[in-house]
Amino acid sequence: MHPSQVSLQSHAFDFWLARGAVALIAGLQLLFVNNNLIFGPKWLAPAFELAMLVPLSIATVWTQGRVRHAEGDGHWHIICRHRKLIRHFALLLTAIVMILNSYALVSVTRELLGGAKGGQSLLIDAMNIWFTNIIVFALWFWNIDRGGPARLGLHDDKRPDFLFPQMTGTGDQDPAWSPGFIDYFYVSFTNATAFSPTDTMPLSAQSKLLMAAEATISLLTVGLVAARAVNILT
């Protein structure tokens, strides 16, 4: 069996966790209490994201089907090209979601600094933005590490962007282990709560910059927005 077939079988569910994460973000955006936190009507941004998610999911199904029946280097060359296109489209979708969530954060901050009332609704929206931020950066980490899932099983020469505990030491570690989407979600969650790496260290410049950006956004959300909203409540 080709190495890529083995890798995709062990991480096939990760693709659907990532697609489900985008759908969850769209649902969270519909739950914003304040209607002016995102562009246009409340439904517009989620609808746009889901419209991009549908062809992305179809392409993922098609590519995974091709992997199961691939034979020869020619087939793998085509599959590799398609997987890279899917990754580029996924990165574009992730960037759009990040921009929309950052805009929502700026809007909440502006309302709070402007002395807006309704602290309870602003607190709910702030926590919504904070959790969305965790999901967004989990998607970033998953898509950049070792060149992202597009390179999964096809190239072993790509240096890792993150050093997981399972990759160090000797003993019971599985040499065939590789991180999945849940691992990146955990890294994103701990970075958003501790404002720094915990058990997983960033190795590349891009991973360090992403973790710094997430920690900054999380600190702003928790330290400024949520604190100010609680102050309004009291």
Side-chain angles (χ1 to χ4, degrees):
M1 184 178 290
H2 193 278
S4 187
Q5 290 173 313
V6 176
S7 299
L8 281 177
Q9 285 179 1
S10 61
H11 290 290
F13 192 54
D14 288 345
F15 290 90
W16 300 111
L17 286 175
R19 307 298 179 252
V22 176
L24 176 60
I25 289 173
L28 290 173
Q29 290 172 340
L30 289 173
L31 296 178
F32 276 133
V33 179
N34 297 279
N35 295 327
N36 59 340
L37 296 185
I38 52 179
F39 299 103
K42 182 186 293 187
W43 57 265
L44 182 60
F48 179 76
E49 292 161 358
L50 293 176
M52 293 185 66
L53 183 62
V54 170
L56 185 61
S57 301
I58 293 174
T60 300
V61 172
W62 182 84
T63 302
Q64 289 183 340
R66 292 290 297 270
V67 166
R68 287 192 293 269
H69 301 93
E71 296 180 0
D73 292 338
H75 285 169
W76 287 113
H77 178 74
I78 296 174
I79 290 171
C80 182
R81 186 172 68 231
H82 289 163
R83 284 165 64 177
K84 287 180 179 179
L85 290 174
I86 291 173
R87 176 177 180 260
H88 292 327
F89 193 78
L91 287 172
L92 175 62
L93 177 55
T94 305
I96 291 174
V97 172
M98 182 178 177
I99 291 172
L100 291 173
N101 196 54
S102 299
Y103 179 84
L105 175 58
V106 171
S107 299
V108 169
T109 305
R110 185 170 58 244
E111 289 197 18
L112 286 171
L113 294 178
K117 302 299 181 181
Q120 183 175 359
S121 63
L122 291 173
L123 177 60
I124 293 174
D125 287 338
M127 296 310 298
N128 189 333
I129 293 169
W130 179 79
F131 187 70
T132 299
N133 186 56
I134 293 175
I135 300 175
V136 168
F137 279 92
L139 291 168
W140 277 122
F141 299 158
W142 181 64
N143 271 300
I144 69 161
D145 192 22
R146 295 177 176 85
R151 297 174 62 97
L152 190 63
L154 294 176
H155 303 278
D156 297 326
D157 58 340
K158 183 71 174 178
R159 291 182 179 273
D161 293 89
F162 294 94
L163 180 65
F164 288 86
Q166 293 90 333
M167 297 163 57
T168 61
T170 58
D172 296 332
Q173 279 88 0
D174 182 3
W177 181 88
S178 58
F181 184 77
I182 294 298
D183 298 293
Y184 296 108
F185 177 82
Y186 177 76
V187 172
S188 181
F189 181 83
T190 55
N191 188 50
T193 52
F195 311 121
S196 63
T198 54
D199 64 335
T200 301
M201 296 294 107
L203 300 179
S204 65
Q206 61 180 355
S207 63
K208 292 176 181 178
L209 289 173
L210 282 173
M211 292 194 79
E214 181 188 18
T216 301
I217 296 173
S218 181
L219 181 61
L220 177 62
T221 307
V222 175
L224 174 62
V225 178
R228 179 72 176 103
V230 170
N231 184 55
I232 292 176
L233 285 175
T234 58

